[in-house]
Amino acid sequence: VHNLAGHPVHMSDVVEAIEAAAPEATGMITFDDALLPFPDEVDSTSLDGLLGPSRDTPLHSGVADTIARFRRLISDGLLAPVDDATKPLVESSERSG
């Protein structure tokens, strides 16, 4: 087991990054402003030793890239978009079975 390096960010920063990359999502994302019990830093030395030093991707760049990749997968027909974001991805009868 190895730790991934990273930096803690506030959820408002994540929402801002999503809305910057997908303006159509502006005002649609909500979150509970509760502090979660995650450490401020982790030691990723063992992973860096195995794979070499990792790159630090800025939050806005990483979110924009992720959204672009999902959009590409959808346009290529490799991923189906959810028609209604308020509906569960799996119906309750499928979850229990």
Side-chain angles (χ1 to χ4, degrees):
V1 174
H2 302 279
N3 291 322
L4 294 172
H7 306 284
V9 296
H10 193 274
M11 277 304 300
S12 61
D13 296 327
V14 175
V15 171
E16 179 185 303
I18 293 169
E19 291 177 346
E24 68 276 12
T26 300
M28 297 176 66
I29 303 169
T30 61
F31 62 92
D32 185 5
D33 195 13
L35 185 61
L36 299 176
F38 296 122
D40 288 337
E41 293 184 35
V42 295
D43 181 6
S44 62
T45 305
S46 66
L47 183 62
D48 291 345
L50 183 65
L51 301 177
S54 60
R55 282 188 318 156
D56 186 27
T57 303
L59 176 65
H60 281 260
S61 298
V63 169
D65 181 59
T66 299
I67 290 172
R69 289 171 185 260
F70 273 96
R71 286 183 170 159
R72 194 170 328 121
L73 289 169
I74 290 169
S75 71
D76 291 347
L78 299 172
L79 185 67
V82 176
D83 292 333
D84 182 351
T86 62
K87 290 169 42 178
L89 295 177
V90 178
E91 295 300 321
S92 59
S93 62
E94 293 174 12
R95 278 186 265 173
S96 61

